[in-house]
Amino acid sequence: MERELKKEKIITNVREGVKLLYRKTLEEANQQELFQAVSYAVKEIIIDKWLATQKAFDKKDPKFVYYMSMEFLMGRALGNNLINLKEYTEVREALEEIGLNLDEIEDQEPDPALGNGGLGRLAACFLESLATLGYPAYGCGIRYRYGMFKQQIKDGFQVEMPDNWLKDGYPFELRRPEYTYEVKFGGYVRAENTPEGKTRFVQQGYQSVRAVPYDMPIVGYGNNVVNTLMIWDAEPSECFELDSFAKGDYRKAVEQENLAKNLVEVLYPNDNHIAGKELRLKQQYFFVSASVQRALARYKKNHDDIHKLPEKVTFQLNDTHPTVTVAELMRILLDEEELSWEEAWEITSKTCAYTNHTIMAEALEKWPIEIFSRLLPRIYQIVEEINRRFLLQIQANFPEDNNKIAKMAIIYDGQVKMAHLAIAAGYSVNGVARLHTEILKNEQLHDFYEMFPKKFNNKTNGITQRRFLMHGNPLLANWVSAHIGDDWITNLAHIEKLAIYAGDSKAQQEFMNIKYQNKLRLAKYIKEHNGIEVDPRSIFDVQVKRLHEYKRQLLNILHIMYLYNELKDHPEMEFYPRTFIFGAKAAAGYKIAKLTIKLINSVADVINNDRSINGKIKVVFIEDYRVSNAEWIFAAADVSEQISTASKEASGTGNMKFMLNGALTLGTMDGANVEIVEEVGEENAFIFGMSSDEVIAHERNRDYDPMQIFNQDQDIRKVLMQLINGFYSANDSELFRDLYNSLLNTQCTQYADTYFILKDFRSYAEAQKRVMAAYKDEAGWAKSAILNVAHCGKFSSDRTIQEYVDDIWKLEKVTVVCD
């Protein structure tokens, strides 16, 4: 009876929503309007729990973590919210009663364009796990209007289009103008004496914007907890200057508006020029300043002693982008709270913690002093003083080593080094996979580790099983629950119980049938979006991730070119059909990465249209890779390509999503692959390539010459020559010259073949042969696939978050009761 009443209420709310929002009946509404109405009906359920959560927080007065991140790759909210509310089945059935299909309605939701790659998706998983575990948290970021970009493929090339995800309005956000804060840029700093004899620093002649928060609910699974993602929009601090406009000074009239507008237009604006660099720094300071002001205001509402801030607040810096949090917190404590430097530093150094997400030096942000000091004059003064004191600390710790200052200074060679600031100020510095953390301690950040060994710790990344299994692969999720119960939903370690079914022939057949159904679903998507027929009985070999040279999509496509050559030269050879699936966005200014996308599509055009190979190889590039199509891709994959150059990938989380869905890893011993292989056993994965130690040794000794491989291996030579002889670019034989040069000479990169593609090529090709041989044994493959699912328990973001809580944040769970 209660179930029927609930369904009846949902139907009523959807009907009323269509009427109130659009002045239409249910029958007149289009699919987008139905999505909005259903979402508002779901939001009504969420709001009650959101209010109850805030009430519980007010009562308990817990410590909060503010998760500071430039990006949150949330994915669609409707389906995931219904799952976590435990209302998915009821809502689906209710909608069916009025002739609506929940799948079709979900497809109307745009992916919120608030992130791009693994950094942003990890942040989203973490927020969901924090809510599911009942820990108080705010995500803090920017409400980008167009995201990074919507990817279109035209003539094989990536074309960046605005991702206008807000054009129809977004039902799961809530504007909160009562929490608006001013953020200042530029101007100059004037020192003035106070009546008490102190020096006060005042920023004058600045431009400013109003930061206005939009709250998005983060629903915990089945526990009534709803945390908040707080994303900041920018509005002009002053109204349109009609007087300036009337006098003909049109530029000045809209200056404030343009400043605000530009701040929140796009994620990661191209920084190949000064204006792009300035905008990135402004964006970082904008959301950091607003978030820190909000956090301190929230704390002061119930607490009089600012010195006890670390007992109730911690800021987790998700990579170097939010590192200016350190200086902004110091500014507020010094200039507004009027604390001494020592008092302010004591608070700040117990409140900020830093997660390092990269081994790549290029990604450890450095800002030219000229830009930093001009845009953020007071912040720069504070960073200079932090640096001065830190240099004294370095000299005291290493009195005999003059080189340490050059390696560790926060300001050096005309640059502000943000990672150095985060480490100097943070009370915790963590890597995101065990191998990554060891490389940080022994290589990239070794000097800091020597000085602060207790700060360093590892927190291997994780993913939320509720999105990437329950929502993305319901067939497999239901099968798992039917065999071992549903404890795995909130405790993924329990999925290990599935291992006893790995050798069971009936379970193997059921598992492989589910995989086949998911491959059919993806094959249909590929046919609709790419116009390519793929065989769901072929091996689905998948590499989907941000496109970067170290991730080695180029190795993958060069190997496909090699396989095609082999098939053409030896048409009689034994070969199990393969479908190679790529999905990736390249940064707008990243020429080599964008050229790699063109190469993949050019190779696809040749191979897919060659009837002589009888469809034995198909190559597919999925346009606009994002969370919503990723869920289908993970569910359908047989092989998970995790082929980064060893020592370069910090962790990776795509590897975990594939594993959770029963794909076998083909990869190097890099990032979290190392721990995946430990969990599942090397016999249930395909490992190849140099170790991280070997790569680091070659880099240190500079003794690798790819030209030797080119000269000695005629198969590799043939593939590389096809890059420049027009084989895949008949109208322009020079089109792929830069890719060729990047592998064989130093015109394009610091060293030829920087990421050891040719060095690892033969090992990779042998691993691919092992994949083909293993797949022919269906029972053996099914056993390995089931074991991958069974041994993925370690890689839940719930486990990762619990480790952050225990070792870094020291949060307490909050119980939420709804009336």
Side-chain angles (χ1 to χ4, degrees):
M1 185 64 182
E2 184 183 341
R3 184 184 177 93
E4 291 306 312
L5 286 171
K6 188 182 288 186
K7 285 161 63 173
E8 195 175 308
K9 185 179 179 185
I10 291 165
I11 292 169
T12 300
N13 286 351
V14 171
R15 286 189 187 279
E16 287 297 306
V18 169
K19 185 171 76 173
L20 290 170
L21 289 168
Y22 303 107
R23 204 195 63 185
K24 290 184 179 181
T25 65
L26 204 61
E27 293 71 29
E28 294 171 323
N30 63 34
Q31 288 292 314
Q32 175 60 216
E33 290 164 348
L34 290 171
F35 158 70
Q36 295 280 345
V38 171
S39 296
Y40 276 106
V42 173
K43 187 177 179 181
E44 186 174 332
I45 301 170
I46 293 171
I47 289 285
D48 288 337
K49 297 178 187 295
W50 212 353
L51 287 168
T53 301
Q54 291 303 311
K55 188 176 178 182
F57 289 164
D58 291 342
K59 183 177 180 181
K60 187 162 186 177
D61 187 26
K63 183 178 184 179
F64 280 81
V65 59
Y66 290 82
Y67 198 81
M68 313 287 281
S69 183
M70 275 294 282
E71 48 174 304
F72 290 90
L73 194 59
M74 301 306 296
R76 293 171 174 169
L78 176 57
N80 209 67
N81 284 341
L82 287 173
I83 282 173
N84 283 10
L85 290 167
K86 302 176 87 168
E87 302 275 4
Y88 196 90
T89 303
E90 287 85 346
V91 170
R92 176 182 285 281
E93 291 174 358
L95 294 177
E96 284 172 355
E97 287 184 18
I98 51 175
L100 303 181
N101 183 302
L102 180 55
D103 293 334
E104 293 176 3
I105 288 170
E106 281 192 65
D107 281 342
Q108 292 299 310
E109 181 176 0
D111 284 48
L114 303 174
N116 171 45
L119 185 82
R121 184 53 234 173
L122 182 80
C125 285
F126 278 7
L127 292 187
E128 196 265 8
S129 285
L130 278 158
T132 294
L133 294 172
Y135 291 116
Y138 282 94
C140 303
I142 295 176
R143 184 178 178 261
Y144 302 104
R145 295 199 181 131
Y146 301 110
M148 194 161 93
F149 56 81
K150 190 179 185 71
Q151 183 191 57
Q152 290 185 1
I153 302 298
K154 294 185 179 178
D155 191 28
F157 289 97
Q158 170 180 291
V159 178
E160 300 90 21
M161 305 296 290
D163 189 353
N164 193 6
W165 68 287
L166 290 167
K167 68 182 176 67
D168 295 309
Y170 193 64
F172 290 108
E173 67 176 9
L174 196 63
R175 187 171 182 268
R176 305 298 300 277
E178 66 270 33
Y179 299 121
T180 296
Y181 295 95
E182 184 183 29
V183 180
K184 302 173 184 178
F185 301 100
Y188 59 94
V189 179
R190 185 170 61 80
E192 58 182 36
N193 294 320
T194 67
E196 296 80 21
K198 295 182 179 180
T199 302
R200 177 189 295 144
F201 295 91
V202 181
Q203 190 171 345
Q204 296 185 328
Y206 56 83
Q207 288 185 311
S208 69
V209 297
R210 296 166 67 245
V212 181
Y214 283 70
D215 288 353
M216 291 174 63
I218 307 297
V219 181
Y221 181 80
N223 64 353
N224 296 323
V225 173
V226 180
N227 279 336
T228 301
L229 170 59
M230 184 167 55
I231 48 175
W232 296 92
D233 193 17
E235 296 182 0
S237 58
E238 298 173 13
C239 296
F240 178 78
E241 291 192 26
L242 187 60
D243 183 55
S244 297
F245 192 87
K247 292 175 181 175
D249 193 348
Y250 307 128
R251 185 176 174 183
K252 186 180 179 187
V254 297
E255 195 171 35
Q256 292 287 331
E257 249 178 277
N258 286 340
L259 173 62
K261 181 183 173 188
N262 291 340
L263 276 174
V264 295
E265 291 275 69
V266 297
L267 166 68
Y268 299 143
N270 192 340
D271 64 351
N272 292 347
H273 42 73
I274 293 296
K277 283 185 170 65
E278 289 184 358
L279 182 53
R280 281 203 187 196
L281 182 57
K282 282 180 179 176
Q283 285 183 326
Q284 292 178 12
Y285 182 66
F286 166 71
F287 95 86
V288 160
S289 177
S291 301
V292 173
Q293 289 184 69
R294 174 76 186 105
L296 265 63
R298 193 182 193 288
Y299 170 81
K300 290 175 69 176
K301 185 179 176 183
N302 298 309
H303 304 91
D304 296 327
D305 189 353
I306 196 70
H307 297 85
K308 293 183 179 179
L309 182 72
E311 295 176 14
K312 296 296 180 181
V313 170
T314 191
F315 294 106
Q316 186 67 38
L317 314 181
N318 193 29
D319 218 355
T320 52
H321 311 123
T323 300
V324 73
T325 299
V326 170
E328 175 65 2
L329 180 55
M330 286 291 291
R331 181 193 69 79
I332 293 172
L333 295 174
L334 291 167
D335 297 352
E336 297 180 16
E337 299 298 326
E338 299 185 344
L339 300 186
S340 69
W341 182 276
E342 289 73 19
E343 289 174 306
W345 184 253
E346 175 77 6
I347 294 168
T348 300
S349 60
K350 289 180 178 178
T351 307
C352 296
Y354 165 53
T355 299
N356 175 283
H357 280 280
T358 184
I359 297 159
M360 308 292 290
E362 69 195 48
L364 296 175
E365 286 187 306
K366 307 172 187 71
W367 294 106
I369 286 175
E370 187 274 326
I371 291 176
F372 197 100
S373 60
R374 175 165 46 82
L375 292 182
L376 308 174
R378 178 58 179 144
I379 293 298
Y380 180 70
Q381 285 183 343
I382 291 168
V383 173
E384 270 204 324
E385 181 61 14
I386 293 172
N387 181 61
R388 185 187 70 80
R389 292 173 182 243
F390 185 51
L391 295 185
L392 295 175
Q393 211 178 339
I394 294 170
Q395 290 169 336
N397 276 268
F398 306 105
E400 306 299 322
D401 192 342
N402 294 326
N403 292 324
K404 291 291 186 186
I405 286 177
K407 294 177 185 176
M408 300 175 70
I410 296 166
I411 300 175
Y412 200 80
D413 280 344
Q415 295 179 316
V416 181
K417 301 185 178 184
M418 303 308 279
H420 295 190
L421 175 61
I423 298 167
Y427 67 91
S428 168
V429 178
N430 74 278
V432 291
R434 193 176 65 239
L435 174 64
H436 167 232
T437 301
E438 290 306 307
I439 291 172
L440 291 179
K441 293 194 300 190
N442 297 324
E443 299 287 336
Q444 267 72 10
L445 302 178
H446 178 67
D447 299 296
F448 291 94
Y449 178 62
E450 275 190 298
M451 187 165 171
F452 304 119
K454 291 182 180 178
K455 286 188 181 186
F456 282 75
N457 61 94
N458 177 59
K459 299 289 173 281
T460 297
N461 284 341
I463 60 171
T464 168
Q465 62 270 26
R466 291 163 291 276
R467 178 176 287 276
F468 291 106
L469 188 51
M470 280 190 81
H471 187 260
N473 195 347
L475 293 176
L476 184 57
N478 292 336
W479 183 82
V480 171
S481 293
H483 284 77
I484 64 168
D486 61 6
D487 286 353
W488 62 270
I489 296 171
T490 52
N491 189 341
L492 193 59
H494 287 186
I495 208 165
E496 191 174 4
K497 298 173 187 174
L498 204 62
I500 61 172
Y501 294 100
D504 181 90
S505 60
K506 181 172 179 289
Q508 290 173 354
Q509 288 177 344
E510 292 170 348
F511 184 92
M512 293 304 285
N513 183 56
I514 288 169
K515 179 64 72 174
Y516 180 71
Q517 296 301 319
N518 286 321
K519 290 167 80 170
L520 280 174
R521 180 176 69 168
L522 184 60
K524 183 182 177 188
Y525 179 93
I526 290 169
K527 177 65 175 172
E528 289 173 357
H529 291 80
N530 294 69
I532 300 170
E533 294 268 6
V534 300
D535 181 2
R537 290 182 173 81
S538 66
I539 301 171
F540 277 22
D541 183 311
V542 185
Q543 187 177 18
V544 287
K545 53 182 75 237
R546 179 171 60 92
L547 210 146
H548 193 289
E549 288 166 277
Y550 82 82
K551 295 177 185 287
R552 299 202 296 191
Q553 285 93 345
L554 184 56
L555 171 59
N556 190 344
I557 195 63
L558 291 176
H559 175 258
I560 293 168
M561 292 160 63
Y562 160 76
L563 283 182
Y564 179 58
N565 290 341
E566 289 290 286
L567 273 178
K568 295 293 284 185
D569 292 342
H570 309 286
E572 77 290 345
M573 70 184 280
E574 189 177 0
F575 191 90
Y576 200 99
R578 309 283 285 273
T579 298
F580 293 96
I581 298 170
F582 294 84
K585 288 183 178 180
Y590 194 171
K591 184 179 178 183
I592 288 288
K594 294 176 77 171
L595 196 56
T596 303
I597 290 176
K598 172 59 176 173
L599 177 63
I600 292 167
N601 285 304
S602 295
V603 171
D605 284 344
V606 171
I607 293 177
N608 295 344
N609 291 298
D610 186 344
R611 294 184 179 180
S612 73
I613 63 171
N614 297 317
K616 289 179 179 176
I617 300 176
K618 289 290 180 74
V619 181
V620 177
F621 187 94
I622 291 179
E623 184 180 72
D624 203 34
Y625 175 61
R626 56 197 186 277
V627 176
S628 53
N629 58 23
E631 293 177 24
W632 286 25
I633 295 168
F634 295 132
D638 294 307
V639 177
S640 163
E641 294 261 4
Q642 308 298 329
I643 60 177
S644 56
T645 309
S647 80
K648 303 304 178 192
E649 185 71 83
S651 169
T653 52
N655 45 10
M656 303 168 189
K657 294 159 196 167
F658 281 113
M659 183 188 189
L660 179 64
N661 283 276
L664 276 61
T665 299
L666 167 62
T668 53
M669 290 297 268
D670 194 26
N673 292 356
V674 176
E675 292 164 74
I676 285 175
V677 170
E678 282 180 4
E679 294 297 307
V680 77
E682 196 161 344
E683 68 277 12
N684 296 305
F686 305 95
I687 300 304
F688 76 94
M690 290 188 292
S691 68
S692 58
D693 288 342
E694 289 173 314
V695 169
I696 291 167
H698 279 305
E699 290 175 331
R700 187 176 290 129
N701 299 328
R702 300 187 182 183
D703 58 1
Y704 167 55
D705 180 9
M707 188 58 76
Q708 289 183 359
I709 296 172
F710 179 82
N711 289 334
Q712 295 167 11
D713 191 319
Q714 68 177 33
D715 294 332
I716 290 177
R717 186 164 62 251
K718 181 177 181 179
V719 167
L720 264 59
M721 291 306 296
Q722 287 173 332
L723 292 175
I724 56 170
N725 65 12
F727 191 87
Y728 292 104
S729 53
N731 296 325
D732 181 5
S733 61
E734 290 295 300
L735 179 60
F736 300 117
R737 172 67 68 174
D738 285 349
L739 292 175
Y740 176 88
N741 286 345
S742 74
L743 295 168
L744 289 178
N745 66 46
T746 57
Q747 291 179 32
C748 292
T749 55
Q750 188 177 1
Y751 306 110
D753 195 12
T754 307
Y755 297 106
F756 301 95
I757 287 171
L758 303 190
K759 184 75 172 173
D760 275 349
F761 186 93
R762 280 297 175 186
S763 178
Y764 178 60
E766 288 302 313
Q768 286 280 16
K769 288 180 182 176
R770 299 202 308 273
V771 168
M772 190 156 59
Y775 196 81
K776 290 176 183 175
D777 174 11
E778 185 170 330
W781 187 276
K783 180 180 179 180
S784 289
I786 293 170
L787 286 173
N788 267 271
V789 178
H791 292 297
C792 69
K794 174 180 179 177
F795 302 108
S796 171
S797 48
D798 298 346
R799 184 269 313 155
T800 313
I801 286 299
Q802 193 58 55
E803 290 181 5
Y804 274 97
V805 167
D806 293 342
D807 301 340
I808 302 175
W809 301 334
K810 310 298 183 185
L811 306 179
E812 291 181 65
K813 290 190 178 189
V814 173
T815 301
V816 177
V817 179
C818 277
D819 297 332

